[in-house]
Amino acid sequence: MKEKESKNVKGTPDEADKKAFTYEESRRPSGEDQLGEAGIQYAYRQRGQGEYTLEDYYALPDERRVELIDGFFYDMAAPYTTHQIASFEICTQLSNFIKSRKGSCRAMAAPTDVQLDCDDRTMLQPDVMVVCDRDKIRERCVYGAPDFVIEILSDATARKDMTVKLWKYLDAGVREYWIVDLRQEKVIVHDHTGESIRTSIYGMDQSVPVQIFEGKCRIRFEEICEEVRAIREK
C-alpha cells in the first residue's frame, strides 16, 4: 500500500477545520467511554462532567483507570492483549533507536500520566510517547506535551482518539501524533514538525518514518501484524 497524503493545514487549525473533525461536539459528552455520574462514586460529587479537576482524578482508587480531558472523565477499559503487544513492540523499537544514537529522548508507554496542558483539568495516558525535554519528566507524571504520541485504537476509544485527542495533542504542542489501527492495518500520521500539519496514511506492510527523528527511525509493523492476526485466529 502506498503512502497517501490526506490533508495539509497551515499553522493552528481554524474553526472550520475543527468542525470537519467534529471537535466541538466530540470534546463534550457523549462518548462510549465517557464516565456517567454513577461511575464516579469516589470523586467529589458536588462537581459534574465538565467540572472535574486533578483533585477528583487523584481521589479515584488506583485500580480505576480513567483520563481527564477538559474537566470530563473518560473510562479506560483494560486493553486487549493485541493492543499491549503492539504498544510494547513499538515502544521497544523507539527506545532501541534512541539508545543506538545515544539520544536524550525517552520512550515511554502507558500507564503513564501526562499533565498535557499543565493545568488541573486534563490528565492523559497515551499508549506510547517520546519525551525529549527531560525536565518534563517528573516522578508523578510527564508535565507538558510529549514530542511524539501514539494511540492504538480500540472500539471504545476510537472516537476520542481520532477527534478529541487529535486536537488536544496538536494544540498542546505535540509535534507528531500517530493513530494505529490494528484491525484495518493502517497508521495515520499527523506530522506537525514543520509549519503545517501534514497527515499521511500508511499500510502496515510499510515501515513508518518517525518525523521527529527526521525519518531516520522507522517503525516496522510486519511482525506485529503477524502476531496480532495469529492471536485473533484462535
Side-chain angles (χ1 to χ4, degrees), residues 107-176:
M108 307 172 75
T112 301
D113 282 344
V114 176
Q115 198 170 342
L116 186 70
D117 298 323
C118 301
D119 64 8
D120 69 344
R121 301 186 71 244
T122 296
M123 185 74 86
L124 302 180
Q125 291 188 359
D127 289 324
V128 179
M129 64 180 152
V130 173
V131 181
C132 294
D133 181 355
R134 288 293 187 102
D135 287 340
K136 291 182 178 180
I137 301 175
R138 312 287 175 86
E139 185 173 19
R140 196 170 200 180
C141 68
V142 172
Y143 188 75
D147 295 84
F148 175 82
V149 168
I150 292 178
E151 296 289 4
I152 301 169
L153 293 186
S154 66
D155 292 340
T157 65
R159 182 171 178 266
K160 176 181 65 177
D161 291 341
M162 297 184 75
T163 55
V164 181
K165 281 190 170 182
L166 167 61
W167 296 111
K168 284 298 293 183
Y169 285 140
L170 296 182
D171 286 346
V174 172
R175 297 161 57 205
E176 189 170 359

Side-chain angles (χ1 to χ4, degrees), residues 167-226:
W167 296 111
K168 284 298 293 183
Y169 285 140
L170 296 182
D171 286 346
V174 172
R175 297 161 57 205
E176 189 170 359
Y177 175 41
W178 291 15
I179 298 171
V180 174
D181 188 337
L182 295 174
R183 292 193 181 278
Q184 298 295 322
E185 296 189 1
K186 66 181 180 181
V187 182
I188 304 171
V189 174
H190 298 286
D191 172 18
H192 201 184
T193 56
E195 293 182 358
S196 63
I197 301 171
R198 178 180 174 180
T199 299
S200 306
I201 301 175
Y202 295 83
M204 288 187 179
D205 55 345
Q206 300 170 280
S207 59
V208 183
V210 181
Q211 298 303 326
I212 66 164
F213 298 133
E214 300 175 340
K216 295 174 183 176
C217 174
R218 302 182 75 95
I219 302 300
R220 301 176 306 280
F221 284 93
E222 296 94 333
E223 292 183 5
I224 295 173
C225 278
E226 288 176 10

Side-chain angles (χ1 to χ4, degrees), residues 39-117:
I40 317 174
Q41 56 182 320
Y42 294 95
Y44 292 89
R45 297 305 298 276
Q46 67 266 30
R47 290 194 271 266
Q49 283 286 43
E51 300 175 343
Y52 290 109
T53 68
L54 291 185
E55 185 178 22
D56 305 299
Y57 180 84
Y58 288 125
L60 294 167
D62 291 340
E63 66 272 14
R64 190 61 189 266
R65 193 172 166 219
V66 302
E67 287 185 310
L68 177 67
I69 304 177
D70 293 329
F72 289 87
F73 272 131
Y74 291 83
D75 193 28
M76 298 183 71
Y80 288 172
T81 56
T82 49
H83 179 288
Q84 293 303 86
I85 288 167
S87 175
F88 176 81
E89 292 298 334
I90 294 168
C91 192
T92 298
Q93 289 187 47
L94 287 166
S95 183
N96 287 343
F97 173 82
I98 293 167
K99 288 178 180 177
S100 72
R101 300 299 178 101
K102 295 181 169 35
S104 61
C105 300
R106 167 66 67 183
M108 307 172 75
T112 301
D113 282 344
V114 176
Q115 198 170 342
L116 186 70
D117 298 323

